[in-house]
Amino acid sequence: MDYHIHTPSQLAAALKSSRKTRGITQHLVASRVGLLPKTVSALENSPDTSSIDSLFKLLSALGLEIVLKTKDDTTSGEW
């Protein structure tokens, strides 16, 4: 499934949804990549306060990746 993320709250919802879809607990996903369950909880509730390193660990545990692409709008390329 692809998630289009534009805000930290959308990221939080996508992370939580992905984990729940896989039927795994915060504790289990945390233990897979050496995170604390409270770190997973923080990423699922307020990712803007979490570290990038923790985010990438969680993405790895969930089998997700980040893909950056140019927005399709008329202002792209303008500074």
Side-chain angles (χ1 to χ4, degrees):
M1 170 175 260
D2 291 341
Y3 297 95
H4 294 269
I5 308 295
H6 300 280
T7 66
S9 62
Q10 289 174 331
L11 176 60
L15 292 171
K16 189 175 206 173
S17 173
S18 180
R19 179 182 58 78
K20 287 190 169 204
T21 297
R22 287 167 174 72
I24 54 179
T25 64
Q26 289 179 343
H27 181 78
L28 179 60
V29 76
S31 69
R32 286 182 178 176
V33 289
L35 294 173
L36 296 172
K38 70 179 184 177
T39 303
V40 175
S41 177
L43 282 160
E44 289 183 354
N45 290 293
S46 55
D48 51 326
T49 63
S50 300
S51 75
I52 294 293
D53 184 57
S54 294
L55 173 61
F56 277 98
K57 286 179 180 179
L58 180 57
L59 291 171
S60 175
L62 295 173
L64 299 173
E65 65 182 0
I66 292 177
V67 176
L68 300 177
K69 68 176 221 162
T70 305
K71 279 185 167 183
D72 294 327
D73 64 24
T74 57
T75 60
S76 63
E78 293 181 19
W79 295 92

